[in-house]
């Protein structure tokens, strides 16, 4: 068979010989310039009448007619174009299109075959991506484009490679004699035909490497394989470039929704639109279905968002008689292919109150070992039924969770679902309790003690595991709150949020802290637990003070103390009273209520001392030292040094750094600048290693003031700059005050006679 490019080369040569442009030829022949270009390059069929006219215009003396006739006799449709039409609303994915371009460019340089594997979950847009890219580059491939759905994950049997080969050979113009012999023999003929006419071959929805192997083209062609399952064997045998296609980013998902329902509707109800996108898993197909439901079903975006918010109704919107857009039909194929243990874990994950999954929490949920949980999650990940996020965690999107939840209801006994939720709840409670005490040893005493649970193995954190505990909270804090919200009755609904107080105090994640404190108070009121209500008032009052609502905070903390006073002897908690007094003292100190602050810090110190909590005594003394009355310098210094000694005895980083900071502040006020700098540097080192960002900024600010007093203005400016950067990331308005300090120092340093300090 003669290559299609022979016709194009002959036509271009004749154009040059005649000195005619493509536009002039098209005009004389009576066709459009675009049409003639496509005929020349084989992108349109070469009908005899069209070829005769072009041969005449070019004075080819029958040359073009002979070439076209030979090619028709040699195989009929010699340039198949089986590519489905690309989606008109294809959105985003530019980075992945560039990945495809780069993969082809890299292989073009060494002449090897190009194979690209696009993997991803259901409705993520794998096929769309392949079609979109192929439609943009198809003119580069004289052999056209071959496309087939291999039905790897679909109802019924997967496509037979032999039958697909026969279809491809026919499309490439092979006579019936070439459709005989073994699959290997036909595969060789298929590759031979493609060798002279490089093509794009798209194998959609592949089952496995054995199905794909006979359909691999040779060098020069591009093969794109899409699959919902991980194709390790294909990657191993072909060296394919792997593209893992996630759901759309939020902005691209919103763009797609705007394209489908209109810019005005989205902008008019932005919150509902964002909820639709989120509940649709940011999956292109799901967004389109939801959009059509809103557009043609007469529903507002708020109504659609409301339906998607409830687990039972979420799947109903994606149910259709068309299997391609019926979520149950699509997911049944993946689910039913799972081995028994991963299938059970998948079901149980659908009942979990949190979408973030770890092997340890999964082990508790399924009452299996962590190793078994890891293997089950790996199977689910390779089937793209969970997605990898970070730190070894996985996540299940809203639609998969709804499907898994439905499966759990159908396939699991209700008693086992209750037991699984119980195990997960108590695993989170026990692990949170241990992590909280690693940040602030024994800070709550027995006030948040838990009943022992025999069927879960929580993570353990010792006194030296501060960093590990802080990291765990950083990953799991949101999940802990979701777990707490799932508690229908009992004390864990308020205890879990209360356990987060040391983490929130260190990290200053005020928004989450406020949500946790509010949730905890509501749970304590539901449980009618006065001790829980009092503890929730501590957290709520403390965070209200931290965010600047100090008057409200004082009322909340005073209410907490009152509630504690009303508790019976068996329910009284001296440590809770001590921490409430400490928080209330801090609130009064910020309003310069010195007498009230001193009294409350002293009360907290006494209660901590009676409870034997050196850590609590140390922080109370450290704060009390800063509130001593004018003329009590010696007493204030003694108190500050006592605080440092106790803090070091407790071994608690946050207490030691606070004591050093308060000593530095006290020495600054007394004009002892160099000793102050020594203590501030020690505080700064500890606060950096313990990741107390707000406290680090506080120490940097005081350090800047000390350096300025010593005449080291450039170093002072650098300390202020570091503090401002931290406070800006924490959205703390004090950053503006520090910027003013920096501006003042800039004015001094930029003066003509500025010292070179």
């Amino acid at each position: 068979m003669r290559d299609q490019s022979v016709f194009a080369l002959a036509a271009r040569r004749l154009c040059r010989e005649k000195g005619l442009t493509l536009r002039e030829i098209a005009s004389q022949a009576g066709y459009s310039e675009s049409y003639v270009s496509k005929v020349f390059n084989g992108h349109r069929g070469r009908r005899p009448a069209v070829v005769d006219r072009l041969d005449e215009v070019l004075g080819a003396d029958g040359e073009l007619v002979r070439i076209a006739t030979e090619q028709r006799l040699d195989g009929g449709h010699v340039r198949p174009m089986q590519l489905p039409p690309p989606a008109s609303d294809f959105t985003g994915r530019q980075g992945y299109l560039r990945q495809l371009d780069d993969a082809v460019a890299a292989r073009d340089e060494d002449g090897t075959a190009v194979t690209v594997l696009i993997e991803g979950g259901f409705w993520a847009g794998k096929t769309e991506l392949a079609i979109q890219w192929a439609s943009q580059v198809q003119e580069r491939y004289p052999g056209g484009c071959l496309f087939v759905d291999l039905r790897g994950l679909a109802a019924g049997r997967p496509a037979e490679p032999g039958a697909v080969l026969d279809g491809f050979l026919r499309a490439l113009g092979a006579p019936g004699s070439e459709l005989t012999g073994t699959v290997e023999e036909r595969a060789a003929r298929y590759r031979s035909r493609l060798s002279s006419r490089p093509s794009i071959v798209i194998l959609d929805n592949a089952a496995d490497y054995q199905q794909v192997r006979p359909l691999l083209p040779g060098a020069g062609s591009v093969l794109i394989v899409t699959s919902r399952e991980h194709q390790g064997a294909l990657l191993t045998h072909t060296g394919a470039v792997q593209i893992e296609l996630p759901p759309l980013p939020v902005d691209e998902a919103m763009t797609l929704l705007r394209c489908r329902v209109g810019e005005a509707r989205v902008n008019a109800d932005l919150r509902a639109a964002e909820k639709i996108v989120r509940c649709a898993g940011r999956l292109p197909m799901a967004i389109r279905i939801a959009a059509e439901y809103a557009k043609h079903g007469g529903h507002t975006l708020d109504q659609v968002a409301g339906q998607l918010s409830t687990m039972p109704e979420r799947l109903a919107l994606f149910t259709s008689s068309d299997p391609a857009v019926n979520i149950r039909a699509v997911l049944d194929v993946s689910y039913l292919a799972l081995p028994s243990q991963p299938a059970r874990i998948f079901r149980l994950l659908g009942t979990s109150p949190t979408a973030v999954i770890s092997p340890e929490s999964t082990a508790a949920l399924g009452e299996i070992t962590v190793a078994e949980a890891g293997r089950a999650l790996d199977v689910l990940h390779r089937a793209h039924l969970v997605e990898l996020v970070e730190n070894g965690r996985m996540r299940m999107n809203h639609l998969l969770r709804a499907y898994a939840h439905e499966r759990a209801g159908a396939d699991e006994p209700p008693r086992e679902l209750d037991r699984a939720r119980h195990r997960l709840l108590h695993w989170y409670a026990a692990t949170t309790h241990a992590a909280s005490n690693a940040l602030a040893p024994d800070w709550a005493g027995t006030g948040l003690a838990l009943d022992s649970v025999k069927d879960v193995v929580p993570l353990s954190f010792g006194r030296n595991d501060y960093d590990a505990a802080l990291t765990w909270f950083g990953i799991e804090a949101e999940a802990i709150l979701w777990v707490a919200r799932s508690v229908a009755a009992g004390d864990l609904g308020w205890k879990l949020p209360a356990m987060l107080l040391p983490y929130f105090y260190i990290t200053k994640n005020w928004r989450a802290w406020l949500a946790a404190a509010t949730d905890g108070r509501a749970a304590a009121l539901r449980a009618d637990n006065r001790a829980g209500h009092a503890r929730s008032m501590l957290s709520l009052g403390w965070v209200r003070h931290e965010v600047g609502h100090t008057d409200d905070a004082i009322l909340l903390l005073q209410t907490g103390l009152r509630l504690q006073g009303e508790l019976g002897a068996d329910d009284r908690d001296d440590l809770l009273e001590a921490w409430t007094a400490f928080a209330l003292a801090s609130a009064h100190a910020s309003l310069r209520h010195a007498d009230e602050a001193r009294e409350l810090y002293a009360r907290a110190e006494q209660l901590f001392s009676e409870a034997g909590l050196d850590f609590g005594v140390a922080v109370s003394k450290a704060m009390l030292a800063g509130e001593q009355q004018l003329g009590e310098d010696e007493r204030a210094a003694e108190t500050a040094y006592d605080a440092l000694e106790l803090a070091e005895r407790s071994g608690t980083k946050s207490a030691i750094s606070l004591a050093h900071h308060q000593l530095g502040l006290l020495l600054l006020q007394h004009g002892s600048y160099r000793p102050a700098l020594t203590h501030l540097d020690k505080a700064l080192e500890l606060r950096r290693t313990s990741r107390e960002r707000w406290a680090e900024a506080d120490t940097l600010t005081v350090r800047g003031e000390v350096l300025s007093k010593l005449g080291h203005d450039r170093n002072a400016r650098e300390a202020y700059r570091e503090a401002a950067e931290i406070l800006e990331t924490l959205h703390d308005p004090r950053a503006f005050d520090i910027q003013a300090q920096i501006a003042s120092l800039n004015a001094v340093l930029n003066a003509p006679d500025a010292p070179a300090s």
Side-chain angles (χ1 to χ4, degrees), residues 82-84 127 145-152 159-161 163-165 167-168 190 200-206 211 215 223-226:
Q82 298 181 340
L83 193 68
T127 307
C145 184
L146 299 169
F147 179 95
V148 66
D149 179 0
L150 292 178
R151 300 181 57 77
E160 290 290 340
V164 175
L165 263 179
F168 280 177
Y190 158 73
I200 300 172
V201 181
I202 299 177
L203 305 179
D204 191 38
N205 194 11
Q211 186 189 38
L215 306 173
L223 172 66
I224 302 178
V225 181
T226 75

Side-chain angles (χ1 to χ4, degrees), residues 187-508:
R189 295 179 194 129
Y190 158 73
R191 284 190 288 274
S192 295
R193 284 184 168 269
L194 292 182
S195 65
S196 61
R197 293 170 300 167
S199 304
I200 300 172
V201 181
I202 299 177
L203 305 179
D204 191 38
N205 194 11
D208 52 35
Y209 174 67
Q210 292 305 314
Q211 186 189 38
V212 170
R213 186 178 59 81
L215 306 173
L216 296 172
S221 292
V222 175
L223 172 66
I224 302 178
V225 181
T226 75
S227 179
R228 274 164 54 193
E229 294 188 322
H230 180 60
Q231 299 294 333
L234 176 65
L235 292 169
T236 300
H237 285 91
T238 66
V241 174
Q242 183 185 20
I243 293 177
E244 185 81 23
L245 194 66
L248 288 169
V250 174
D251 58 337
E252 293 180 5
M254 289 293 289
T255 298
L256 178 58
L257 184 63
R258 284 187 170 94
C259 181
R260 301 297 292 194
V261 303
E263 187 88 22
R265 287 190 71 181
V266 170
N267 291 341
D269 201 346
L270 195 58
R271 181 174 295 183
E274 290 171 345
K275 193 169 189 178
I276 289 170
V277 161
R278 184 172 64 254
C279 291
R282 307 195 316 277
L283 302 172
M285 179 63 77
I287 292 170
R288 289 190 181 100
I289 294 171
E292 289 306 301
Y293 184 72
K295 191 173 181 180
H296 299 296
H299 303 284
T300 66
L301 294 186
D302 189 60
Q303 288 172 331
V304 177
Q307 180 168 341
L308 288 174
S309 298
T310 59
M311 194 79 79
E313 294 183 32
R314 190 175 300 159
L315 296 183
L317 196 147
F318 302 102
T319 301
S320 167
S321 58
D322 180 357
V325 293
N326 185 329
I327 193 167
R328 291 183 177 87
V330 169
L331 290 178
D332 280 351
V333 182
S334 293
Y335 169 73
L336 295 173
L338 292 172
S340 60
Q341 189 168 82
R344 174 176 173 267
I345 292 301
F346 175 75
R347 295 191 295 270
L348 294 180
L349 288 173
T351 68
S352 171
T354 173
V356 178
I357 305 155
S358 71
E360 293 82 7
S361 63
T362 302
L365 184 70
E367 202 174 10
I368 56 179
T369 67
V370 174
E372 290 172 324
R375 288 192 291 270
L377 289 175
D378 185 57
V379 171
L380 297 178
H381 180 236
R382 284 187 277 115
H384 291 96
L385 293 173
V386 294
E387 60 181 293
L388 189 64
V389 280
E390 57 183 357
N391 301 299
R393 265 64 175 178
M394 301 204 184
R395 179 171 54 207
M396 188 181 283
N397 70 40
H398 285 70
L399 295 180
L400 280 167
R401 288 184 70 199
Y403 176 84
H405 187 274
E406 184 175 86
R407 276 290 180 177
D411 300 344
E412 291 287 337
R415 183 171 176 274
E416 173 52 25
L417 294 180
D418 290 340
R419 290 184 65 244
R421 283 191 288 265
H422 175 84
R423 289 191 300 267
L424 184 68
L425 173 61
H426 283 82
W427 181 88
Y428 266 107
T431 302
T432 302
H433 188 266
S436 180
N437 279 318
L439 296 184
D442 301 321
W443 73 278
T446 59
L448 294 175
L450 301 169
D451 297 331
S452 61
V453 181
K454 297 180 180 179
D455 51 356
V456 298
V457 182
L459 297 178
S460 60
F461 297 96
R463 295 180 71 92
N464 296 322
D465 291 333
Y466 177 97
D467 288 339
L470 195 61
T471 297
W472 185 79
F473 272 128
I475 297 166
E476 296 282 2
E478 184 179 2
I480 293 167
L481 294 182
W482 279 110
V483 170
R485 289 167 188 150
S486 73
V487 178
D491 292 341
L492 286 182
W494 63 263
K495 281 188 174 183
L496 268 169
M499 292 175 194
L500 288 165
L501 193 149
Y503 168 71
F504 288 138
Y505 180 79
I506 291 167
T507 61
K508 306 300 181 187

Side-chain angles (χ1 to χ4, degrees), residues 512-528:
W513 187 355
L514 189 58
T518 304
D519 287 350
R521 183 187 185 188
L525 290 172
R526 284 198 306 272
D528 194 23

Side-chain angles (χ1 to χ4, degrees), residues 19 30 45 49 55 70 144 172 224 235 248 343 403 440 472 482 518 601 630 639 644 660 711:
D55 190 277
E70 289 173 7
L172 291 168
I224 302 178
L235 292 169
L248 288 169
Y403 176 84
W472 185 79
W482 279 110
T518 304
Y601 278 135
L630 189 65
T639 303
L644 179 58
H660 277 299

Side-chain angles (χ1 to χ4, degrees), residues 80-159:
M81 290 305 299
Q82 298 181 340
L83 193 68
S88 60
D89 59 359
F90 182 84
T91 302
R93 305 296 201 192
Q94 295 306 307
Y96 296 100
L97 292 171
R98 284 193 295 272
Q99 274 186 257
L100 282 159
D101 286 335
D102 293 344
V104 172
R107 300 299 173 89
D108 280 349
E109 291 179 2
D110 55 22
T112 56
V114 181
T115 301
V116 179
L117 172 63
I118 304 176
E119 294 184 343
F122 78 105
W123 290 356
K126 303 177 295 295
T127 307
E128 278 185 31
L129 178 65
I131 291 171
Q132 186 71 22
W133 179 81
S135 68
Q136 293 177 5
V137 302
Q138 60 184 333
E139 292 189 4
R140 304 180 203 165
Y141 296 89
C145 184
L146 299 169
F147 179 95
V148 66
D149 179 0
L150 292 178
R151 300 181 57 77
L153 278 178
R157 296 173 59 84

Side-chain angles (χ1 to χ4, degrees), residues 697-717:
D698 204 22
T699 299
L700 281 165
T701 303
V702 180
R703 189 173 185 273
E705 188 176 349
V706 173
L707 288 166
S708 185
K709 294 287 187 183
L710 289 169
H712 302 321
D713 289 340
R714 295 186 188 278
N715 292 336
R717 181 176 62 182

